[in-house]
Amino acid sequence: MSAATPVLQNDLLLRALAREPVPRTPVWMMRQAGRYLPEYRATRERAGSFMDLCRSSELACEVTMQPLARYPLDAAILFSDILTIPDAMGLGLHFVEGEGPKFERPVRDSSAIRALRPPDIARDLGYVTDAVRVIRRELQGRVPLIGFTGSPWTLATYMIEGGSSRDFARAKALVYDDPAAAHHLLDMVATAVTQYLNAQIEAGAQAVQIFDTWGGALSTPAYQAFSLHYMTRVIEGLIREHDQRRVPVTVFTKGGGQWLELMADSGCDALGLDWTTELGDARARVGHRVALQGNLDPAVLNAGPAAIRSEVERVLASFGSGAGHIFNLGHGITPGVPPEHAGAMIEAVHELSPQWHESS
Ligand code: CP3
C-alpha cells in the first residue's frame, strides 16, 4: 500500500461482506444522502439542480459526507445517480419537480435502439470518477466508499419508458415483441455498466452495488433472461481486487426474494433484500454462499424511536448469530423521514447488534 493510501480505520462493512467475524453489525442506508436531510436540501439549492449537484465533484463530496457527519455510519456511498449512463448515451436526462426523472429522447423502438452509441466513460462520465477521488481523499480512510450502478434491465426500463413507470408497459412490450432489440440494448448497457463500475473501482470505490430496482417486475424466466443474465455478465467483467483488497459486489433486486438461489449464482458477494423476505429464511437458503444486506422496511422510520428500536431488534434476531449481515433498509430512505428517526435506527444497531456477534 502506498503512503498516500491511508489504512481503513473502520472495515466492518468489508469484513461482513466477506462473512468474516465482526464485533457488531455494520450499518448504512440506501439513499443516506438525500432530501430527508435539511443540509442536503441546502446544498442542492446552491448547486441549482440535482444533475448540477452530481456533476460537481466538490458538491457531490459535500453531500456524501453529510450523513457521516450526523451518524456513526459504517460506509459512505458515492453521491450520484443510476441514470448518469443513459444521460451519457445522449438521452437528455432532466428532473421534473414532483415527477422524478425524464428523458427527452427515450428509445422506443428497434431503430432508436440500433442508432444508440455506447458512452465514452472517461469523457462523458469523468465527473463521477472525479467525485470518487475527491470523496476518498475527504474520507481519509474513515469508512469504505461504496460505488454503484443501476442494473442493465433497470436502466433499460427508464430508457424505454422515458422516465419512471408503474407497469413498464413499453419495456415489457419490447421484451416480448422484439427480444433481439431488447437484448441488443441490454448488451450495450451491460458493457457500459461494467466499464463504469471498473472506472469507479480504479478511482477508489472499495465495494460496489448493482441496483436492480425493477427486476422484481419480471416473470421468473424474463428475470433470468433480461435482468440476471446481464448482471452476471457485468460481475464477470469487474475488477475483483484493487489496492490488495477484494472489491465485493452486492446485487439488490427489489422484489427478488423468490430468486435468491439464482441471484447467489451470479458471482456476487452479497444480496440486498427488501423487507418482504425474512432475513432468517434467506440465510437458510443462501447464507452459506453470500452475505445478506437489509432489510428494515423504510416506512418503519416514519414511526417513533421505540417502534424503530423494536423493529431493528427483530431484523437482527431474524438474521441471528454470526457473520455475514450488513444492516440496511429494504429500499431507499424516503424524503419525509425525520433525521432523528434515522439516528435512532443506527443507534439501535450499535447497541443491540454486539450480542449477535459474541463468539461461542
Ligand atoms: O444512496 C445514496 O445516498 C447515493 C445516491 C443515490 C441517488 N440515487 C441520489 C438521488 C443512489 C444510489 C441513487 C440510485 C437510484 N436512482 C435508483 C436505484 C435505487 C432505488 O432507489 O431503487 C433509482 C431507481 C434512481 C432513479 C432516480 N433518481 C429517481 C426515480 C429519482 C427521483 C426520486 C424522487 O424521489 O424524486 C432520482 C433522483 C435522486 N437520486 C435524488 C437523490 C438524492 C432526489 C433528487 C432531489 O430531488 O434532490
Side-chain angles (χ1 to χ4, degrees):
M1 204 177 296
S2 73
T5 315
V7 288
L8 207 43
Q9 289 149 35
N10 172 348
D11 65 355
L12 289 179
L13 174 85
L14 299 181
R15 279 154 66 191
L17 285 166
R19 289 177 293 136
E20 290 168 6
V22 284
R24 65 168 175 80
T25 308
V27 52
W28 67 280
M29 296 184 289
M30 291 194 275
R31 293 278 186 105
Q32 63 190 22
R35 280 177 300 190
Y36 75 106
L37 292 176
E39 58 270 35
Y40 168 83
R41 297 195 298 268
T43 310
R44 199 193 108 154
E45 187 90 9
R46 265 200 291 139
S49 73
F50 172 70
M51 281 312 288
D52 287 335
L53 180 51
C54 292
R55 286 199 183 99
S56 156
S57 48
E58 300 301 326
L59 295 180
C61 175
E62 184 177 309
V63 293
T64 300
M65 300 303 288
Q66 286 171 347
L68 294 154
R70 262 189 194 255
Y71 314 115
L73 290 159
D74 297 303
I77 178 161
L78 163 70
F79 189 83
S80 189
D81 199 79
I82 63 167
L83 301 178
T84 51
I85 286 183
D87 185 50
M89 292 171 83
L91 274 67
L93 174 64
H94 57 279
F95 284 85
V96 182
E97 198 62 52
E99 283 182 53
K102 294 265 180 263
F103 285 112
E104 282 156 42
R105 293 171 290 280
V107 285
R108 291 258 152 92
D109 51 31
S110 98
S111 63
I113 288 171
R114 305 225 177 250
L116 269 179
R117 290 291 159 259
D120 178 330
I121 304 290
R123 187 192 63 204
D124 303 328
L125 292 162
Y127 67 91
V128 178
T129 42
D130 286 348
V132 169
R133 276 185 281 270
V134 173
I135 296 163
R136 273 296 302 272
R137 201 184 313 138
E138 190 71 20
L139 278 170
Q140 298 193 321
R142 208 172 123 193
V143 290
L145 176 63
I146 302 168
F148 70 90
T149 179
S151 71
W153 164 251
T154 293
L155 294 180
T157 66
Y158 285 97
M159 295 172 77
I160 299 162
E161 301 287 342
S164 302
S165 170
R166 217 181 278 273
D167 53 11
F168 309 100
R170 289 189 171 95
K172 288 191 183 183
L174 182 82
V175 154
Y176 292 109
D177 269 339
D178 195 347
H183 282 300
H184 181 82
L185 174 62
L186 289 162
D187 182 70
M188 185 183 291
V189 174
T191 301
V193 160
T194 309
Q195 293 170 351
Y196 184 57
L197 279 182
N198 281 340
Q200 292 181 33
I201 291 166
E202 281 175 330
Q206 291 143 302
V208 293
Q209 176 157 328
I210 303 175
F211 286 90
D212 186 31
T213 308
W214 305 125
L218 292 165
S219 69
T220 297
Y223 174 70
Q224 289 181 272
F226 295 97
S227 181
L228 185 59
H229 170 77
Y230 289 97
M231 291 197 286
T232 304
R233 228 193 68 195
V234 170
I235 294 167
E236 279 165 5
L238 289 182
I239 298 167
R240 298 308 289 274
E241 203 183 298
H242 190 71
D243 260 354
Q244 281 129 48
R245 279 199 100 125
R246 183 167 174 86
V247 183
V249 185
T250 301
V251 168
F252 170 62
T253 292
K254 185 159 172 283
Q258 60 186 320
W259 302 316
L260 301 182
E261 293 83 355
L262 299 173
M263 290 159 69
D265 285 338
S266 66
C268 66
D269 298 86
L271 297 179
L273 301 180
D274 69 30
W275 61 94
T276 63
T277 300
E278 276 301 289
L279 271 169
D281 296 339
R283 188 180 188 186
R285 286 164 58 193
V286 295
H288 55 295
R289 295 162 62 197
V290 288
L292 297 171
Q293 174 174 280
N295 68 346
L296 186 81
D297 181 348
V300 169
L301 297 186
N302 294 316
I308 292 168
R309 187 179 166 93
S310 73
E311 279 298 299
V312 166
E313 195 160 25
R314 196 192 61 70
V315 168
L316 290 168
S318 178
F319 184 85
S321 289
H325 180 208
I326 299 94
F327 198 99
N328 206 314
L329 300 171
H331 197 203
I333 189 168
T334 50
V337 167
E340 328 66 270
H341 289 192
M345 180 195 90
I346 294 155
E347 193 185 306
V349 177
H350 278 251
E351 281 178 27
L352 301 170
S353 71
Q355 60 178 301
W356 299 102
H357 298 280
E358 281 156 14
S359 51
S360 46

